[in-house]
Amino acid sequence: VGKGTFREIARRLGQRPARLGAPAAGEGAARAVARRNRGSLQLRQVDAGSCNGCELEIASCFSPIYDAERFGIRLEASPRHADGLLVTGPVTHNMADPLRKTYEAVPEPKVVVAVGDCARDCGVFRGAYGLAGAVSEVVPVDVEIPGCPPEPEAIIAALRSLSGR
Amino acid sequence: VRSDLLVAMALLGLAASLAGAVTPPRTRVRLSVALTVAACGCGFALAADVLATGGSASVHTSRLVPLLGLALRLDPLGALFVAVTAGIGACAMVFRLGYRGHGLASRTASCVLPLFITTLLLVPTASAVGTFLFLWELMAVTSLLLVLADHRVRPEVQQAGQWYAVMTQFGASVLILALVLLATHAGSQSFALIALHGPHLSPWVRSMVFVLAVVGFGSKAGAVPLHVWLPRAHPEAPGPVSALMSAAMVNLGVYGIIRVGDTLLGGGPAWWWLLVMALGGLSALFGSLHSSTSTDLKRLLAYSTTDNIGLMLLGVGASGLFAATGHRPLAVVALVAALLHVVCHAVFKGSLFLSASSLQQATGLRDLDRLGGLVTRLPLSAPVFIVAGLAICALPPLCGFVSEWLLLQSLLHGLPSADTAIEVAMPLGVGVLALTGGLTAATFVKAIGVGLLGQPRSQDAGSAREVPASMWGGAGLLALLCVVFGVAPFLVLPAVVDAARSGLGYGAAHPLAQGWSVGLEGVGGLLAPGLLALGLVLAVSVAAGVRQMAQRGALRRTEAWGCGRENQTARMQYTATSFAEPLTRVFDDVLAPSHDLDVSHSAESRYYVESAAFHTTTHDAFERHAYRPLSAGLGWWGRLARRVPNGSVHRYLAFGLAALVVVLVAVG
């Protein structure tokens, strides 16, 4: 433990969550979802075959730095309790059915967010033999977040357009 | 007229037995059922008359039984038990019309079953030691024959029969000792005369008779530690027989303790009744614990019988204790609670055993881990089981609630007492009642939730078909009585109060029923089961209405959420074993579960598992640590004794000479 360690701890203790500005107004379906959700968005995350890069970024969304929960966004353990899905990665053959079943299990009305380039169009894995396709080829997608991986700011901005807060 | 009814009851029962023995197979069942139901009808009419108008019915003859004669006299205490047996007997016989298999259609069984019911009806009417023991033995032998009805097909029946035979004969021999001792010292074998002299015998004789009687009757009642035959014989007996044994026969053990302790000996010192309470508390805890972890449906019900017998004994013991310390109103309330529990237990346990046999006939299974999904496949038998199961959990507005409430009240009201024994025994009794209630609720959540709800766990459960109307009708009638007695206990309470009064020799001046409610005279406390039921119905319908409004018809039916798993099968549901696992873990000192994990590895590498089998069983501690060593010791003694007669004539002559010398020395 050096002298720098305490300085680092002191710095972090003083650090406040990132300032992220006002939520962007969503478009089309997202706007309707935001109005209905009234500042609360409960999501079940599904890793459909991701390299886990997107998971790291999602995890940091809920870290003290970005603290997405202050915008009413939470990750749920069960799709039964969720307003929608947060899907990452290209959909592999093995995950296509579980993804469909998870989508089935979410109560209506529901929203699907595809996080990252792989979820949008299979990204660098396009054409690989183990893939069933992009997320939108398996379940209907409402919001897409580009990036490989997308930065936490981008993810939170997209989710805030759904939570409306 | 009453004696005529008593004679008619006995003759109809014997005629039913004869009809079962001699008529051709096609008419055999129907004729014997009709005659037995008629006998039960006579018995019920007689008992109802005795209970309604007081007095008694008696028949004496010196002919039928050699040397001893036959002396029958029905007083209100016996009448309550006759009425209960008559009701259960009639329903079980109706049930039997549709019941297939289990060797009950044979000539022997058709002959013995009516005889068994008749002896059950007659035992509480016996009014002399000889008659009582004769009928008691007849009851034991006929029930043993019926337990063994299926012995040719299934070897486990023989083992159950052996356990039952040994335990029931042990109990009977202890009883013979007790009653003969009592009759000798009282100078008469008539119950009426014994009751006159009983209170004035020497305390040693009285105590010895009482302890022996508690052991003898306790073994018939299935009280711990004499219960070991119950969880073996009840599951292996044919359905109607197990219902009769559990709902009518074990009651007679409680009857015997009341008869000997309260009527013949006229009450006794506090330690007698503390002994009864201790037996009751132990039975209640041990029975409910084992029934909560059993996975065999009928074994579960058998252990639950031990549990309920324990509650009755708790009430009987509390009543005696109150009487011994001079709290007469409380003694009446406690005995009323115990007797009401006899009635209620008979009704719900009869229904449970009958509908469990319906489930067994529909699926061929008793193992809860392989049942399931029956509530849609058996739309009549399953609800019957559910109603009776809720009644045994003592949920209002069903009958178990009223009797357990009364029992709890009598135990609680004994508390502000100057007596140390009462001050220690009553809180323990309340604790036992509370723990037992919780465990029973867990047991029947398991039995109903795993056995009837959910998806079928095996093909046999999936292809179950509803049983004939006589079967669900017989069980359903008893389930209906659960509701009736629960909502309107005033229908049965006056009779129970009469029986308690006749047992104790004094009683409440007024019946406990006050209009629609149950009031406790002398101690305070009021229960209005009818209002409770009304409130419950209102609350449930309001809740259902609100839910309907909130849903507005938008109900989506989809697969159960299984984490997106692809092959979701019925085997992944909660099973009875997994449901009881936490309880097994908490009480592992008592239940002593043994686990057996069998893993076979792949031939190439130990890192790959080819198959794994896990097996867990709980053991009856008394059977394991008391009965097994005892039976091993007896076996050892027998083998040792077998060496003595080795076939040598010289040795036998030497034995004779030695015996002669011993006798001569002793006499000289």
Side-chain angles (χ1 to χ4, degrees), chain B residues 263-289:
Chain B
T263 318
L264 298 187
L265 296 174
W271 70 265
W272 288 11
W273 304 105
L274 284 173
L275 175 75
V276 174
M277 277 189 87
L279 273 184
L282 190 64
S283 308
L285 285 182
F286 195 80
S288 57
L289 206 51

mmCIF file of all heavy atoms in Angstrom, chain B residues 263-289:
data_model
loop_
_atom_site.group_PDB
_atom_site.id
_atom_site.type_symbol
_atom_site.label_atom_id
_atom_site.label_comp_id
_atom_site.label_asym_id
_atom_site.label_seq_id
_atom_site.Cartn_x
_atom_site.Cartn_y
_atom_site.Cartn_z
ATOM 1 N N THR B 263 -63.935 -44.132 34.026
ATOM 2 C CA THR B 263 -65.163 -44.776 34.475
ATOM 3 C C THR B 263 -64.896 -45.873 35.496
ATOM 4 O O THR B 263 -65.451 -45.862 36.582
ATOM 5 C CB THR B 263 -65.919 -45.383 33.282
ATOM 6 O OG1 THR B 263 -65.869 -44.456 32.214
ATOM 7 C CG2 THR B 263 -67.359 -45.653 33.631
ATOM 8 N N LEU B 264 -64.028 -46.832 35.129
ATOM 9 C CA LEU B 264 -63.852 -47.993 36.001
ATOM 10 C C LEU B 264 -63.042 -47.647 37.235
ATOM 11 O O LEU B 264 -63.348 -48.085 38.337
ATOM 12 C CB LEU B 264 -63.192 -49.139 35.234
ATOM 13 C CG LEU B 264 -63.978 -49.674 34.038
ATOM 14 C CD1 LEU B 264 -63.316 -50.898 33.464
ATOM 15 C CD2 LEU B 264 -65.404 -50.004 34.448
ATOM 16 N N LEU B 265 -61.972 -46.865 37.075
ATOM 17 C CA LEU B 265 -61.148 -46.525 38.230
ATOM 18 C C LEU B 265 -61.564 -45.202 38.850
ATOM 19 O O LEU B 265 -61.065 -44.824 39.912
ATOM 20 C CB LEU B 265 -59.678 -46.473 37.827
ATOM 21 C CG LEU B 265 -59.090 -47.810 37.360
ATOM 22 C CD1 LEU B 265 -57.677 -47.622 36.846
ATOM 23 C CD2 LEU B 265 -59.088 -48.814 38.490
ATOM 24 N N GLY B 266 -62.457 -44.476 38.182
ATOM 25 C CA GLY B 266 -62.966 -43.225 38.738
ATOM 26 C C GLY B 266 -61.918 -42.140 38.877
ATOM 27 O O GLY B 266 -61.899 -41.413 39.861
ATOM 28 N N GLY B 267 -61.044 -42.028 37.893
ATOM 29 C CA GLY B 267 -60.006 -40.998 37.957
ATOM 30 C C GLY B 267 -58.871 -41.456 38.843
ATOM 31 O O GLY B 267 -58.956 -42.482 39.521
ATOM 32 N N GLY B 268 -57.780 -40.698 38.812
ATOM 33 C CA GLY B 268 -56.634 -41.114 39.586
ATOM 34 C C GLY B 268 -55.691 -39.964 39.843
ATOM 35 O O GLY B 268 -56.014 -38.821 39.540
ATOM 36 N N PRO B 269 -54.516 -40.252 40.409
ATOM 37 C CA PRO B 269 -53.564 -39.193 40.730
ATOM 38 C C PRO B 269 -53.043 -38.490 39.474
ATOM 39 O O PRO B 269 -53.168 -39.009 38.358
ATOM 40 C CB PRO B 269 -52.439 -39.954 41.444
ATOM 41 C CG PRO B 269 -52.560 -41.356 40.985
ATOM 42 C CD PRO B 269 -54.015 -41.581 40.751
ATOM 43 N N ALA B 270 -52.439 -37.335 39.696
ATOM 44 C CA ALA B 270 -52.013 -36.508 38.566
ATOM 45 C C ALA B 270 -50.996 -37.216 37.683
ATOM 46 O O ALA B 270 -50.989 -37.020 36.464
ATOM 47 C CB ALA B 270 -51.450 -35.186 39.086
ATOM 48 N N TRP B 271 -50.122 -38.049 38.288
ATOM 49 C CA TRP B 271 -49.056 -38.619 37.443
ATOM 50 C C TRP B 271 -49.584 -39.567 36.381
ATOM 51 O O TRP B 271 -48.983 -39.693 35.324
ATOM 52 C CB TRP B 271 -47.963 -39.273 38.285
ATOM 53 C CG TRP B 271 -48.345 -40.548 38.994
ATOM 54 C CD1 TRP B 271 -48.781 -40.661 40.267
ATOM 55 C CD2 TRP B 271 -48.279 -41.875 38.471
ATOM 56 N NE1 TRP B 271 -49.019 -41.959 40.574
ATOM 57 C CE2 TRP B 271 -48.718 -42.747 39.502
ATOM 58 C CE3 TRP B 271 -47.906 -42.434 37.244
ATOM 59 C CZ2 TRP B 271 -48.793 -44.117 39.330
ATOM 60 C CZ3 TRP B 271 -47.995 -43.804 37.084
ATOM 61 C CH2 TRP B 271 -48.416 -44.633 38.108
ATOM 62 N N TRP B 272 -50.725 -40.240 36.625
ATOM 63 C CA TRP B 272 -51.335 -41.064 35.572
ATOM 64 C C TRP B 272 -51.530 -40.226 34.325
ATOM 65 O O TRP B 272 -51.204 -40.609 33.220
ATOM 66 C CB TRP B 272 -52.724 -41.542 35.977
ATOM 67 C CG TRP B 272 -52.790 -42.594 37.024
ATOM 68 C CD1 TRP B 272 -51.796 -43.049 37.818
ATOM 69 C CD2 TRP B 272 -53.981 -43.301 37.382
ATOM 70 N NE1 TRP B 272 -52.282 -43.995 38.663
ATOM 71 C CE2 TRP B 272 -53.616 -44.177 38.428
ATOM 72 C CE3 TRP B 272 -55.291 -43.263 36.929
ATOM 73 C CZ2 TRP B 272 -54.543 -45.035 39.016
ATOM 74 C CZ3 TRP B 272 -56.209 -44.108 37.513
ATOM 75 C CH2 TRP B 272 -55.831 -44.986 38.565
ATOM 76 N N TRP B 273 -52.145 -39.062 34.574
ATOM 77 C CA TRP B 273 -52.600 -38.267 33.438
ATOM 78 C C TRP B 273 -51.453 -37.520 32.805
ATOM 79 O O TRP B 273 -51.467 -37.248 31.612
ATOM 80 C CB TRP B 273 -53.728 -37.351 33.890
ATOM 81 C CG TRP B 273 -54.812 -38.164 34.507
ATOM 82 C CD1 TRP B 273 -55.103 -38.270 35.823
ATOM 83 C CD2 TRP B 273 -55.696 -39.061 33.819
ATOM 84 N NE1 TRP B 273 -56.132 -39.161 36.008
ATOM 85 C CE2 TRP B 273 -56.518 -39.668 34.794
ATOM 86 C CE3 TRP B 273 -55.878 -39.403 32.479
ATOM 87 C CZ2 TRP B 273 -57.498 -40.589 34.468
ATOM 88 C CZ3 TRP B 273 -56.851 -40.320 32.154
ATOM 89 C CH2 TRP B 273 -57.645 -40.906 33.153
ATOM 90 N N LEU B 274 -50.429 -37.234 33.625
ATOM 91 C CA LEU B 274 -49.221 -36.664 33.025
ATOM 92 C C LEU B 274 -48.577 -37.683 32.094
ATOM 93 O O LEU B 274 -48.056 -37.335 31.030
ATOM 94 C CB LEU B 274 -48.235 -36.234 34.108
ATOM 95 C CG LEU B 274 -48.613 -34.941 34.823
ATOM 96 C CD1 LEU B 274 -47.671 -34.698 35.983
ATOM 97 C CD2 LEU B 274 -48.568 -33.773 33.862
ATOM 98 N N LEU B 275 -48.649 -38.956 32.492
ATOM 99 C CA LEU B 275 -48.127 -40.022 31.634
ATOM 100 C C LEU B 275 -48.887 -40.056 30.304
ATOM 101 O O LEU B 275 -48.290 -40.118 29.227
ATOM 102 C CB LEU B 275 -48.257 -41.364 32.353
ATOM 103 C CG LEU B 275 -47.871 -42.609 31.553
ATOM 104 C CD1 LEU B 275 -46.373 -42.704 31.441
ATOM 105 C CD2 LEU B 275 -48.424 -43.872 32.197
ATOM 106 N N VAL B 276 -50.224 -39.976 30.406
ATOM 107 C CA VAL B 276 -51.033 -39.987 29.181
ATOM 108 C C VAL B 276 -50.703 -38.768 28.324
ATOM 109 O O VAL B 276 -50.542 -38.864 27.102
ATOM 110 C CB VAL B 276 -52.535 -40.020 29.529
ATOM 111 C CG1 VAL B 276 -53.368 -39.891 28.274
ATOM 112 C CG2 VAL B 276 -52.878 -41.305 30.251
ATOM 113 N N MET B 277 -50.579 -37.598 28.972
ATOM 114 C CA MET B 277 -50.250 -36.386 28.212
ATOM 115 C C MET B 277 -48.886 -36.508 27.549
ATOM 116 O O MET B 277 -48.681 -36.082 26.422
ATOM 117 C CB MET B 277 -50.261 -35.171 29.133
ATOM 118 C CG MET B 277 -51.632 -34.600 29.369
ATOM 119 S SD MET B 277 -51.518 -33.042 30.252
ATOM 120 C CE MET B 277 -51.297 -31.899 28.918
ATOM 121 N N ALA B 278 -47.929 -37.096 28.283
ATOM 122 C CA ALA B 278 -46.589 -37.238 27.710
ATOM 123 C C ALA B 278 -46.627 -38.154 26.498
ATOM 124 O O ALA B 278 -46.042 -37.846 25.444
ATOM 125 C CB ALA B 278 -45.627 -37.793 28.757
ATOM 126 N N LEU B 279 -47.359 -39.283 26.622
ATOM 127 C CA LEU B 279 -47.509 -40.185 25.472
ATOM 128 C C LEU B 279 -48.156 -39.447 24.314
ATOM 129 O O LEU B 279 -47.733 -39.569 23.155
ATOM 130 C CB LEU B 279 -48.397 -41.375 25.850
ATOM 131 C CG LEU B 279 -47.739 -42.579 26.490
ATOM 132 C CD1 LEU B 279 -48.781 -43.661 26.674
ATOM 133 C CD2 LEU B 279 -46.644 -43.083 25.583
ATOM 134 N N GLY B 280 -49.198 -38.658 24.633
ATOM 135 C CA GLY B 280 -49.905 -37.925 23.593
ATOM 136 C C GLY B 280 -49.004 -36.918 22.913
ATOM 137 O O GLY B 280 -48.955 -36.845 21.681
ATOM 138 N N GLY B 281 -48.262 -36.143 23.730
ATOM 139 C CA GLY B 281 -47.388 -35.133 23.136
ATOM 140 C C GLY B 281 -46.327 -35.768 22.262
ATOM 141 O O GLY B 281 -46.063 -35.317 21.139
ATOM 142 N N LEU B 282 -45.742 -36.854 22.757
ATOM 143 C CA LEU B 282 -44.708 -37.548 21.990
ATOM 144 C C LEU B 282 -45.289 -38.076 20.676
ATOM 145 O O LEU B 282 -44.693 -37.905 19.601
ATOM 146 C CB LEU B 282 -44.158 -38.699 22.835
ATOM 147 C CG LEU B 282 -42.912 -39.388 22.315
ATOM 148 C CD1 LEU B 282 -41.768 -38.404 22.301
ATOM 149 C CD2 LEU B 282 -42.553 -40.578 23.182
ATOM 150 N N SER B 283 -46.482 -38.691 20.762
ATOM 151 C CA SER B 283 -47.102 -39.227 19.547
ATOM 152 C C SER B 283 -47.386 -38.114 18.556
ATOM 153 O O SER B 283 -47.143 -38.261 17.352
ATOM 154 C CB SER B 283 -48.413 -39.933 19.873
ATOM 155 O OG SER B 283 -48.226 -40.864 20.876
ATOM 156 N N ALA B 284 -47.920 -36.992 19.068
ATOM 157 C CA ALA B 284 -48.282 -35.897 18.165
ATOM 158 C C ALA B 284 -47.051 -35.386 17.437
ATOM 159 O O ALA B 284 -47.051 -35.230 16.212
ATOM 160 C CB ALA B 284 -48.954 -34.779 18.946
ATOM 161 N N LEU B 285 -45.970 -35.151 18.181
ATOM 162 C CA LEU B 285 -44.765 -34.599 17.545
ATOM 163 C C LEU B 285 -44.139 -35.612 16.594
ATOM 164 O O LEU B 285 -43.833 -35.295 15.447
ATOM 165 C CB LEU B 285 -43.752 -34.211 18.616
ATOM 166 C CG LEU B 285 -44.078 -32.942 19.368
ATOM 167 C CD1 LEU B 285 -42.981 -32.635 20.358
ATOM 168 C CD2 LEU B 285 -44.224 -31.788 18.387
ATOM 169 N N PHE B 286 -43.965 -36.820 17.083
ATOM 170 C CA PHE B 286 -43.295 -37.837 16.282
ATOM 171 C C PHE B 286 -44.102 -38.152 15.025
ATOM 172 O O PHE B 286 -43.556 -38.237 13.925
ATOM 173 C CB PHE B 286 -43.112 -39.088 17.130
ATOM 174 C CG PHE B 286 -42.150 -40.070 16.569
ATOM 175 C CD1 PHE B 286 -40.805 -39.881 16.715
ATOM 176 C CD2 PHE B 286 -42.609 -41.175 15.882
ATOM 177 C CE1 PHE B 286 -39.903 -40.783 16.183
ATOM 178 C CE2 PHE B 286 -41.719 -42.076 15.350
ATOM 179 C CZ PHE B 286 -40.357 -41.886 15.509
ATOM 180 N N GLY B 287 -45.430 -38.298 15.213
ATOM 181 C CA GLY B 287 -46.286 -38.611 14.065
ATOM 182 C C GLY B 287 -46.270 -37.506 13.035
ATOM 183 O O GLY B 287 -46.106 -37.753 11.842
ATOM 184 N N SER B 288 -46.414 -36.254 13.495
ATOM 185 C CA SER B 288 -46.491 -35.181 12.504
ATOM 186 C C SER B 288 -45.150 -35.002 11.804
ATOM 187 O O SER B 288 -45.089 -34.712 10.615
ATOM 188 C CB SER B 288 -46.938 -33.883 13.163
ATOM 189 O OG SER B 288 -46.069 -33.547 14.194
ATOM 190 N N LEU B 289 -44.065 -35.218 12.547
ATOM 191 C CA LEU B 289 -42.742 -35.074 11.941
ATOM 192 C C LEU B 289 -42.538 -36.106 10.841
ATOM 193 O O LEU B 289 -42.084 -35.791 9.737
ATOM 194 C CB LEU B 289 -41.695 -35.266 13.041
ATOM 195 C CG LEU B 289 -40.360 -34.607 12.832
ATOM 196 C CD1 LEU B 289 -40.549 -33.159 12.493
ATOM 197 C CD2 LEU B 289 -39.548 -34.737 14.098
#
